[in-house]
Each structure stands twice: as C-alpha cells, then as structure tokens.
Amino acid sequence: MSRSGESQYPLQVSNIKLEPMELIVYTAFWCPDCRIAKRFLAEHQVPFKEIDIERTPGAADEVVRRTGKRAIPQFVIDGEWVQPYRPGEGFLYDEMTKRLGLKRT
C-alpha cells in the first residue's frame, strides 16, 4: 500500500456485469409452458418484459425468424434467445436458475 492507503496494484474486475439484466419473454395467453415460465420468474422476482405473440404484430414471425421454429415461451436474455423448456421435459428449472444467476430455493 502507498502512504495514502491505496494499493499499488489497482483492482481490476472483469466479466462482472453491473447493469441489470434485460429479459424479454415471448408468450401467448393459451400457452401453459408460458404460464410456468412467468410463474418461475415471478417467484424469483426477476423483472421481465412480456411480448404476447397474439397481440403484438410481427412477434410470432420474430420468434420463427430468430429460432427457426414456432415455439414459446422464448426468453431473450441480454439479446440472446434461449428456449427455457424442452418438449416432453417441461420447464428447465435448473438450467434457467443457473442461466439467470438465481439462488436455488
């Protein structure tokens, strides 16, 4: 340490994101997997913007364009498209807990 109490070696922190995560969820009112995904986010108090593909012009086409399939829910986490469930397996609780940086309950 220097006389001023500061370290001679500046602390460098990398790979730490200080801004809040941006999460967009593509859903539809009739989608049971979407309700499960939104309940998971609500239980963990994760803020998100919801886009209903039935009420938002072009949203369903955007899902197909980005993912190559008509599959909801879709999460867009800081610009990265992620399918939070696997057909036949359901919502990917462990994977989404880890992906969103949440504590296991």
Side-chain angles (χ1 to χ4, degrees):
M1 289 216 171
S2 69
R3 289 183 196 168
S4 66
E6 294 179 25
S7 172
Q8 292 175 288
Y9 307 100
L11 178 62
Q12 292 187 1
V13 180
S14 61
N15 298 328
I16 294 179
K17 191 167 190 173
L18 299 177
E19 304 107 34
M21 168 183 55
E22 178 184 38
L23 175 60
I24 301 169
V25 182
Y26 284 78
T27 68
F29 71 90
W30 46 260
C31 170
D33 291 318
C34 297
R35 287 191 291 276
I36 292 168
K38 292 188 295 183
R39 188 176 322 124
F40 170 83
L41 295 171
E43 287 172 356
H44 289 88
Q45 300 177 351
V46 176
F48 63 94
K49 175 183 176 186
E50 181 176 2
I51 297 179
D52 185 322
I53 65 165
E54 297 290 344
R55 296 185 179 145
T56 307
D61 292 334
E62 179 73 359
V63 169
V64 173
R65 188 172 73 77
R66 295 293 190 139
T67 67
K69 53 190 165 189
R70 288 190 169 276
I72 53 172
Q74 290 289 334
F75 287 0
V76 183
I77 304 168
D78 291 332
E80 180 183 350
W81 286 72
V82 177
Q83 187 169 339
Y85 76 100
R86 197 166 289 128
E89 294 180 40
F91 190 79
L92 304 173
Y93 289 96
D94 289 339
E95 288 181 36
M96 292 302 104
T97 297
K98 183 178 178 182
R99 182 68 173 80
L100 295 169
L102 304 173
K103 293 184 179 180
R104 297 182 195 270
T105 55

